Amino acid sequence: AELGQTFTQDDPFGFSMVLTPTAISPESHTAANIGFWNSNETNMDTWVGVRIGRPAGILIGGTDANGGPIGLGNNSPFVDFTFGQTYFVDFLADGAGELSLSVYLGRDSSGAFLGSTNWTLQPDEVFAVNALGMGNPGNGSTTFWTSIDDFSYTVPEPSTAMLLGAASLLARRRRR
């Protein structure tokens, strides 16, 4: 689903969702990618968000505009999961190069906190995304099944300091 605007690594944005991983193809090592994608690309290769799969667990994932991985690798921190269990997942890009992911047991953040992970973007890890979606990076012989509910995304409002600065500028102009 297109958002009507584009986010880059310099923008603060995030999303949360309720997910229940239900099954995976036998003897499969694949994942579902859920998050923000670039719909302007033929294959929508650029994305940033959450990867959930086996054997990795729930972790930060993505592919940058140069085709390189975001948050992936043999030493990527993750939160493990159990098939059939429901989780609340909260993802945030702070606009200053930090990606964070928190996972809770149940349908919201009042459930037991299971863990969090962070990823610091490297200077060459750049992206431009403009759509919500999910995909499967595995080949056609592997499938990962999960249900997603209550997916919502947020863009933080302008800071109070900026609003106060604009208000003082207007007040100063009125006095003249």
Side-chain angles (χ1 to χ4, degrees):
E2 294 219 15
L3 302 173
Q5 70 183 93
T6 299
F7 300 106
T8 71
Q9 66 282 351
D10 298 323
D11 296 314
F13 63 92
F15 66 86
S16 61
M17 66 183 161
V18 175
L19 68 88
T20 306
T22 54
I24 194 168
S25 294
E27 300 178 27
S28 176
H29 293 270
T30 191
N33 297 332
I34 305 162
F36 293 89
W37 300 75
N38 187 333
S39 68
N40 297 320
E41 297 172 346
T42 303
N43 295 320
M44 292 199 334
D45 293 326
T46 301
W47 73 282
V48 62
V50 176
R51 174 172 279 190
I52 177 170
R54 284 289 184 221
I58 304 171
L59 56 110
I60 293 171
T63 303
D64 66 28
N66 302 314
I70 295 174
L72 303 176
N74 294 333
N75 296 319
S76 294
F78 67 91
V79 177
D80 203 4
F81 70 91
T82 302
F83 286 111
Q85 182 65 56
T86 298
Y87 302 92
F88 179 76
V89 177
D90 193 26
F91 173 88
L92 177 66
D94 71 358
E98 282 293 318
L99 307 178
S100 63
L101 173 70
S102 297
V103 181
Y104 302 84
L105 191 59
R107 299 191 59 80
D108 58 37
S109 60
S110 68
F113 176 70
L114 298 179
S116 65
T117 182
N118 296 311
W119 182 262
T120 301
L121 291 169
Q122 302 304 305
D124 62 337
E125 292 178 326
V126 296
F127 57 85
V129 291
N130 65 351
L132 294 174
M134 73 180 289
N136 183 341
N139 62 39
S141 65
T142 59
T143 307
F144 188 96
W145 293 275
T146 187
S147 67
I148 303 170
D149 192 13
D150 299 332
F151 191 108
S152 62
Y153 80 96
T154 57
V155 180
E157 294 182 23
S159 71
T160 304
M162 285 177 48
L163 292 174
L164 289 174
S168 68
L169 181 61
L170 289 173
R172 184 178 290 177
R173 292 184 126 208
R174 273 193 179 172
R175 288 184 195 155
R176 289 183 176 180

